[in-house]
Amino acid sequence: MGKEIVIGAVPVVVAFLVFIGVNVAPFIIAALILSFLFFFVTKQGGMSMAQKRTTVDVPKTTVKFNEIGGQERAKKELKEALDFLIHKDSLKEYGIRPLKGLLLTGPPGTGKTLMAKAAANYTNSAFVAASGSQFVEMYVGVGAQRVRDLFKEAKQKAEKNNQDTAIIFIDEIDVLGGKREGSQHREYDQTLNQLLTEMDGITTSEHPRVLMVAATNRADMLDDALLRPGRFDRQIVVDLPDMKARKQILEIHTKNKPLAADVDIEAVARDTFNFSGAQLESVTNEAAIYAFREESKEITNRHFSHAIDKVMMGEQTDRESTSEERERVANHELGHAIVSEVVRPDSVSQVSLRPRGQALGYVRQSPQQDRYLYTLENLEQQIMIALGGAVAEEMLYGGRSTGSRNDFEQALRLVNTIIDSGLSQLGIVKMDMVGKEALHEERQRILNELLDQTRAILRTYFPVFGHALNHLLREEVLNGDEFRVMLVEAQALPKKNNIEEIETHLMNA
Ligand code: ATP
């Protein structure tokens, strides 16, 4: 009643003030500002921090395991674990304690969230998802309250949907469950303790039954308490896809796209070694965008090639370089490509002069097979390929440029791998066991030997520079097959003429 009297009185007072000639504008502005502040404080700040939503509202998940490419072992392990959730009577019969937590570990974008969603679908569970960073607050107790809310919300959701089970998914669990150091008190000690308490409270007989699924890229960072039996005691590795899995993932994401006949998904899978599922999805999407921009009815092999470059190297830049710079970059890239093709036939997928990200040009290599173990020979070959650009510049211009900095970094990293893996003349050593000088000498010995071998290869194939340079400068891109044809053709050219041809070209440039 009081409210109504105040609301009714305000316009009467305003009308009276206007009538007696008072300027009411400042009062109205002040009233507006005050009401805005009042609204903000009550609706936003006034709400307890713990009440803020932590979970992402996920509608009923529809992801199925067969929509996840590759990851066969991980899917099998996950399904086996989920069977414990489904067959609760057998658990009782055998006296098996309930499975409370599953930890998915692996690099970003490999499908951990997808797996958790598919798990919810497979078990017909309610699904709530949150990220570890959402629990970390400056205010003591807030994170712990959020953990309680999360469990409550999962159970309510399952009850509302008449489901027997609920899956709580926490991404980036390392943010909330990192190792606790010493005895210093931290807000997220409380949050972590609350999570452990909630997990300990999970029983076979409760309804709905809850399963925690967490994901991390850094399992080694997690507090031991989280990993002990009875908590996250099942770890499932969700790794980068191999060649076969990449093909499957590409097929899943191209199902709804109009592909031209020249698209070879297997070749795309070969060219995308070390790509994650998320990157592969991005390749298919970018290829479709290129086709759309060109108003092409179908997505062609060329669109895929651009898309791979974009995902691997970044967006094409408009960096204008001088013609001398362009020519130097072209010869530098040809140096890499020649060595690559000589030491690993069929390995060049593309030589490009289009600046992308930080690179002014690049050679895309496509390994014939995924490789996870390297012999000394493999490492030396990779070092020679990295040195090929600088050696080409040396031979053609009498000196190197700053364009070889990244190549040298890569070469030095590989030299360190040789030494660290006990493949150098130092024998089986740890780097910090060896004196600085001895280490330096061994690094220089390896590099100098490989520089000499690289020079020998480029001297033998020197005519290729002259033969391929103009084509590369004109077209900007040489695909692997075109480059291989030039490599063969150039060998048939008289070597002397070709060197003269290059020298004349460089003098005229
Ligand atoms: P992060 O660790 O960064 O959270 P994640 O491992 O949880 O990443 P997801 O979020 O599951 O990765 O994957 C991101 C996207 O990548 C998915 O939505 C999907 O489009 C694609 N993707 C990843 N892996 C696969 C796969 N195995 N099969 C099909 N698509 C995949």
Side-chain angles (χ1 to χ4, degrees):
M1 190 64 181
K3 241 193 239 170
E4 283 81 355
I5 293 172
V6 174
I7 291 168
V10 169
V12 175
V13 173
V14 172
F16 174 71
L17 290 175
V18 173
F19 181 72
I20 60 171
V22 178
N23 179 7
V24 292
F27 295 107
I28 292 177
I29 293 170
L32 283 173
I33 293 173
L34 281 174
S35 20
F36 173 75
L37 285 176
F38 180 73
F39 173 84
F40 186 77
V41 167
T42 53
K43 297 287 178 201
Q44 304 290 314
M47 197 203 287
S48 113
M49 291 303 281
Q51 274 174 293
K52 263 204 225 162
R53 275 188 80 81
T54 309
T55 53
V56 181
D57 210 354
V58 188
K60 200 166 179 309
T61 71
T62 53
V63 180
K64 297 194 183 77
F65 278 117
N66 63 10
E67 290 165 23
I68 303 176
Q71 308 295 0
E72 296 310 328
R73 197 184 36 78
K75 282 194 275 189
K76 184 166 164 276
E77 277 181 40
L78 183 55
K79 277 190 198 163
E80 275 171 11
L82 292 173
D83 286 339
F84 287 113
L85 197 64
I86 301 170
H87 306 297
K88 67 162 180 156
D89 293 337
S90 313
L91 293 192
K92 269 197 193 141
E93 206 177 302
Y94 287 88
I96 298 172
R97 63 172 161 74
L99 178 69
K100 298 179 182 178
L102 276 171
L103 185 65
L104 306 175
T105 63
T110 43
K112 296 182 290 298
T113 310
L114 275 188
M115 290 273 205
K117 286 183 180 170
N121 196 15
Y122 179 74
T123 52
N124 186 27
S125 301
F127 184 70
V128 291
S131 169
S133 51
Q134 290 166 284
F135 294 90
V136 180
E137 278 290 348
M138 284 160 63
Y139 307 104
V140 176
V142 172
Q145 178 60 42
R146 286 188 183 167
V147 172
R148 278 192 289 273
D149 289 348
L150 190 65
F151 276 75
K152 206 158 92 195
E153 187 183 338
K155 287 177 187 165
Q156 282 171 351
K157 200 167 170 183
E159 272 160 13
K160 197 171 128 213
N161 300 337
N162 261 335
Q163 289 162 308
D164 286 336
T165 47
I167 288 184
I168 299 175
F169 175 62
I170 302 186
D171 203 359
E172 298 175 6
I173 184 107
D174 44 296
V175 179
L176 120 86
K179 279 194 197 305
R180 290 176 283 193
E181 293 144 19
S183 57
Q184 85 203 82
H185 172 84
R186 292 180 311 180
E187 161 13 49
Y188 51 100
D189 281 0
Q190 282 196 16
T191 314
L192 178 55
N193 284 338
Q194 187 61 42
L195 179 66
L196 301 177
T197 311
E198 294 286 344
M199 287 185 82
D200 289 346
I202 297 175
T203 62
T204 347
S205 51
E206 75 171 339
H207 185 274
R209 295 186 308 286
V210 174
L211 174 69
M212 289 280 316
V213 179
T216 180
N217 310 325
R218 299 289 317 267
D220 56 315
M221 301 277 287
L222 293 183
D223 197 273
D224 294 338
L226 266 179
L227 301 175
R228 80 143 168 79
R231 290 182 184 143
F232 286 102
D233 52 5
R234 297 247 160 171
Q235 286 196 29
I236 297 176
V237 179
V238 187
D239 223 336
L240 287 174
D242 60 13
M243 161 86 190
K244 195 168 145 215
R246 291 199 297 276
K247 187 169 171 245
Q248 284 175 12
I249 297 172
L250 287 165
E251 277 164 355
I252 289 170
H253 292 290
T254 48
K255 236 185 227 161
N256 60 348
K257 296 182 173 63
L259 298 190
D262 72 345
V263 175
D264 179 357
I265 291 291
E266 194 159 327
V268 179
R270 213 178 14 250
D271 282 356
T272 46
F273 176 64
N274 254 338
F275 276 38
S276 67
Q279 285 174 311
L280 293 168
E281 189 277 336
S282 179
V283 165
T284 63
N285 195 48
E286 292 299 334
I289 292 173
Y290 280 124
F292 169 76
R293 281 197 199 136
E294 284 180 15
E295 297 183 20
S296 160
K297 285 226 168 348
E298 289 178 322
I299 308 169
T300 64
N301 191 29
R302 191 171 50 82
H303 297 134
F304 271 97
S305 183
H306 287 329
I308 296 172
D309 287 342
K310 178 166 177 196
V311 174
M312 197 186 277
M313 314 278 304
E315 187 64 271
Q316 197 169 323
T317 56
D318 295 329
R319 226 174 292 161
E320 279 288 322
S321 42
T322 61
S323 58
E324 294 96 81
E325 252 176 4
R326 252 170 74 75
E327 190 176 276
R328 190 183 262 269
V329 174
N331 279 318
H332 179 107
E333 299 310 329
L334 286 172
H336 287 307
I338 295 169
V339 181
S340 177
E341 204 52 42
V342 171
V343 298
R344 292 186 189 151
D346 277 344
S347 61
V348 172
S349 171
Q350 190 179 83
V351 188
S352 173
L353 255 196
R354 294 198 178 124
R356 274 189 190 275
Q358 291 302 307
L360 293 170
Y362 52 92
V363 174
R364 173 147 49 83
Q365 292 173 269
S366 66
Q368 292 309 298
Q369 281 170 329
D370 292 358
R371 194 182 282 281
Y372 304 101
L373 203 64
Y374 296 88
T375 61
L376 177 61
E377 195 190 1
N378 301 144
L379 293 167
E380 286 178 344
Q381 286 171 349
Q382 199 56 45
I383 295 172
M384 285 195 279
I385 297 170
L387 297 176
V391 172
E393 286 189 54
E394 242 175 47
M395 289 170 75
L396 286 155
Y397 302 96
R400 305 168 188 160
S401 68
T402 53
S404 305
R405 214 174 46 201
N406 288 345
D407 299 334
F408 291 155
E409 263 172 35
Q410 190 198 357
L412 281 167
R413 228 181 6 253
L414 291 164
V415 170
N416 285 345
T417 308
I418 291 180
I419 298 174
D420 244 355
S421 314
L423 300 172
S424 74
Q425 286 189 358
L426 291 173
I428 303 171
V429 286
K430 269 190 86 162
M431 296 267 257
D432 45 15
M433 280 163 50
V434 187
K436 262 189 183 165
E437 206 143 299
L439 206 57
H440 176 72
E441 269 172 27
E442 182 61 1
R443 283 195 188 112
Q444 289 308 308
R445 184 194 66 76
I446 297 172
L447 279 174
N448 286 334
E449 268 184 36
L450 294 173
L451 270 168
D452 284 345
Q453 288 185 43
T454 311
R455 284 188 192 112
I457 292 174
L458 291 185
R459 228 173 279 131
T460 311
Y461 288 83
F462 199 72
V464 184
F465 288 103
H467 194 52
L469 182 68
N470 282 335
H471 184 94
L472 185 56
L473 288 173
R474 193 175 54 245
E475 303 294 329
E476 291 196 322
V477 174
L478 263 176
N479 73 36
D481 289 336
E482 288 170 330
F483 178 68
R484 276 180 281 280
V485 170
M486 290 189 170
L487 202 67
V488 175
E489 283 173 357
Q491 277 171 277
L493 293 173
K495 210 170 165 189
K496 185 168 167 284
N497 287 352
N498 213 265
I499 295 178
E500 280 168 5
E501 205 178 284
I502 294 172
E503 279 168 355
T504 320
H505 181 89
L506 289 174
M507 272 162 63
N508 293 339

